[in-house]
Every structure is written in structure tokens, then in C-alpha cells.
Amino acid sequence: NAGVTQTPKFQVLKTGQSMTLQCAQDMNHEYMSWYRQDPGMGLRLIHYSVGAGITDQGEVPNGYNVSRSTTEDFPLRLLSAAPSQTSVYFCASRRMGETQYFGPGTRLLVL
Amino acid sequence: QKEVEQDPGPLSVPEGAIVSLNCTYSNSAFQYFMWYRQYSRKGPELLMYTYSSGNKEDGRFTAQVDKSSKYISLFIRDSQPSDSATYLCAMSVGAGGTSYGKLTFGQGTILTVHP
């Protein structure tokens, strides 16, 4: 199993640009989540999904969209990037009753 | 006030020392407690997981939970340079360890163990 994979590893955007951060898992996990990690803030939940077609907001959802059309994929979309979205983004997945597995992260710099 | 507060460190100890990492929380609904280890430029990986007050031991690591005081700790015995990483406490409400994937994290403590 590849586990949780994320692409790209690093991205530079200009303010106002849009992009999609990709996340995929091959463990047939029902639950998937997106977190952002900022210095001194720990990890904060952006959006999560409990299954294909079902998503909900986390602690810091503004400026981000998600969708879950398949069990395997959970992309995170930035509609109009802002410097405040400069961060490291982690995708995570888990099976019901178990704890989470995290991907390697995507480092995003918004200029 | 943040729901989970973690001693930010950084912490620097000599090899072989006992390390104590701590978190406090304000939400009494938290029932599941985890410690994650994160190496530089990597994703967090689960180290310890517990849901009851008391101690849980796994090799050199001991997780301690005191629900009455809303306080959790991670102890590392005989610390090694390979233990150098950021340690994150995390908590959740509900069954299964992570209710719908919603973990609340502490800020993380950077630990350096020098030879």
C-alpha cells in the first residue's frame, strides 16, 4: 500500500490564483480530512469527509472547497489564494474505529 | 483560550535523559488522547493512543492521562538522538478514537536529544 499520498510537494502561487491540492489513499478508508499546519498553531482542521459524497467544514474552512466523488480521492481547492493561506497542508485518512494516517504534506507559498 | 494547550518548548536534553511532554485541555468532552511524532518535513505519525485515565506504556514511551485535571503527558525514557522531532498531542470527542476525523491538536513541542 502506498498509504496517503499528496501532490504537489511544494507549490508557489500568486495572490488570486487558484489551485487544487491532491490527496489519495489506497487503504479503503471511509474518513478523510485536510489540516493546515502553521508555526505555533499546531494542526487545524479545514474540511473532512465521512464517505463519498459527504463533506463538512472543520475549524478553518474559509477560502477552501472540497469534494469527495470517490472513496480514494479528496482534493482541496483554493479558489483565490491569499498570503494567509501560506502553510503546510496535510491530508489524513482513517477507517472507522481507528486513528488517522497522515500524508507527507504539501508546502504552499502564496506571494 | 485554545481548547488544547501544549508546552511549546523547545526542549533540548542529553542522550539518556527522561523527557516529559505535557498538554492541558479545557473541553471536558474529550475522551480520546493521542500523541503524534513529526520529523522535519514529514507528516505526523501516531505514537501513542489512549482513552482512559492512567498510564499506558509502549517500550520507552509512557502516556499518562488525568481526566480530572484535564492534563496529559508523554514520557520518553532513555531518550535517543533519533527521538529528536516535534511532538504533538491531539484529542477527540466520540467513539473510535477520532470522531469523524476531527482531532484537536496542541501547538507541538520541538524536542532535540543531543549525543
Side-chain angles (χ1 to χ4, degrees):
Chain A
N1 286 350
V4 181
T5 58
Q6 292 184 238
T7 56
K9 290 184 179 180
F10 181 70
Q11 182 72 46
V12 179
L13 290 179
K14 294 181 179 179
T15 297
Q17 287 185 316
S18 63
M19 78 160 294
T20 299
L21 280 63
Q22 301 292 343
C23 174
Q25 52 91 10
D26 61 357
M27 298 174 282
N28 201 31
H29 287 174
E30 301 97 332
Y31 302 138
M32 298 187 74
S33 308
W34 275 103
Y35 293 84
R36 60 177 289 174
Q37 185 174 33
D38 303 292
M41 302 291 290
L43 280 84
R44 292 180 292 170
L45 182 65
I46 304 172
H47 286 285
Y48 65 97
S49 169
V50 300
I54 306 170
T55 64
D56 205 347
Q57 296 181 351
E59 181 185 355
V60 287
N62 292 342
Y64 307 95
N65 276 0
V66 292
S67 60
R68 184 100 179 267
S69 56
T70 67
T71 300
E72 294 78 20
D73 301 298
F74 190 43
L76 179 72
R77 297 183 186 84
L78 280 70
L79 305 176
S80 178
S84 62
Q85 293 178 305
T86 293
S87 187
V88 182
Y89 292 84
F90 289 101
C91 179
S93 74
R94 74 174 184 96
R95 184 173 286 117
M96 185 185 298
E98 298 181 0
T99 193
Q100 297 196 92
Y101 294 88
F102 284 85
T106 294
R107 293 180 172 272
L108 177 67
L109 174 62
V110 182
L111 301 175
Chain B
Q1 181 189 4
K2 293 181 180 179
E3 282 189 296
V4 180
E5 295 279 359
Q6 183 173 357
D7 295 344
L11 206 54
S12 181
V13 302
E15 184 175 355
I18 296 175
V19 176
S20 172
L21 304 166
N22 308 296
C23 289
T24 59
Y25 62 96
S26 58
N27 186 351
S28 58
F30 286 138
Q31 296 185 53
Y32 297 87
F33 306 92
M34 288 136 276
W35 285 95
Y36 282 84
R37 178 175 60 195
Q38 185 178 23
Y39 290 114
S40 181
R41 295 184 175 268
K42 300 290 186 182
E45 55 179 344
L46 181 68
L47 202 57
M48 298 285 285
Y49 160 59
T50 185
Y51 56 85
S52 58
S53 284
N55 294 351
K56 181 178 181 179
E57 191 172 316
D58 184 1
R60 296 185 295 110
F61 299 90
T62 299
Q64 185 176 82
V65 174
D66 183 347
K67 289 187 177 180
S68 62
S69 300
K70 298 189 181 65
Y71 188 89
I72 70 170
S73 297
L74 178 71
F75 298 96
I76 307 174
R77 292 185 299 279
D78 188 25
S79 56
Q80 303 294 312
S82 58
D83 295 327
S84 298
T86 297
Y87 289 80
L88 298 149
C89 64
M91 309 179 187
S92 71
V93 174
T98 52
S99 178
Y100 303 114
K102 295 175 71 173
L103 294 179
T104 302
F105 283 86
Q107 300 94 313
T109 301
I110 300 173
L111 171 66
T112 302
V113 181
H114 50 87

